[in-house]
Each structure stands twice: as structure tokens, then as C-alpha cells.
Amino acid sequence: MTMMRKTITIPDAMESWIKIRIKSGNYANDSEYMRDLIRRDQERHAAENQLRDIVQESLQSGISDSGPAEIKARVENRLKADGRL
């Protein structure tokens, strides 16, 4: 993986926070902390996109004639079939 050097400017309070996180032992240095923040942001973005897709799919599926008990049973059966329940 190619690494790129970036220069950022942050307020003193943020710099202090980064140093605290490093001293806690969770991160070895500033770069490791920043990479972790970026990875988390990427994961959050992916989760948001997945949620948007689910909402769009549900909107396109229309209104169900099934009652709550029937819907719950179908969802449970689907989750069991997928091994998630």
C-alpha cells in the first residue's frame, strides 16, 4: 500500500486530545489515530448507504396487507434461513 504524507492544522484542544489518546496506549502515534478515525468514517458512510438502500427498497415494496404477526413470522423465518437468528 502506498502511503501519502498529509499536513493538517488543528486547534490546541484537538492536539491535546490526540496526545491523550496516544498516552492511553490505544494508538502508537498521531498517524495511527487519524487512520483509525478515517476507517471509522468509511464504515459509518457504508452503513449509511446500506440503510438508504434498505429504506428505498422498503418504500418501493409498497404497503403490505399482512398483519404484524404475519410480518414478524416472515422476518423471523428469513433470519433463521440466513443463520442470523
Side-chain angles (χ1 to χ4, degrees):
M1 172 187 346
T2 303
M3 299 294 250
M4 301 297 296
R5 179 175 293 277
K6 297 284 181 186
T7 301
I8 62 168
T9 303
I10 57 173
D12 290 341
M14 287 184 178
E15 173 66 12
S16 296
W17 176 254
I18 293 170
K19 296 301 178 200
I20 289 169
R21 301 295 289 146
I22 292 167
K23 284 182 184 178
S24 73
N26 293 318
Y27 302 96
N29 55 46
D30 296 27
S31 293
E32 189 177 304
Y33 180 69
M34 297 304 290
R35 286 191 298 269
D36 185 52
L37 290 178
I38 293 167
R39 276 191 296 274
R40 290 175 190 230
D41 185 48
Q42 289 171 325
E43 291 167 358
R44 184 182 56 83
H45 182 71
E48 287 174 358
N49 284 338
Q50 183 180 20
L51 182 58
R52 277 191 201 92
D53 291 344
I54 291 169
V55 168
Q56 186 61 37
E57 181 182 333
S58 68
L59 290 173
Q60 291 174 344
S61 71
I63 298 174
S64 175
D65 292 329
S66 302
E70 294 170 278
I71 294 169
K72 181 181 176 191
R74 278 201 308 269
V75 169
E76 286 175 349
N77 289 335
R78 189 177 336 147
L79 291 174
K80 285 177 185 174
D82 291 347
R84 294 186 286 168
L85 185 66

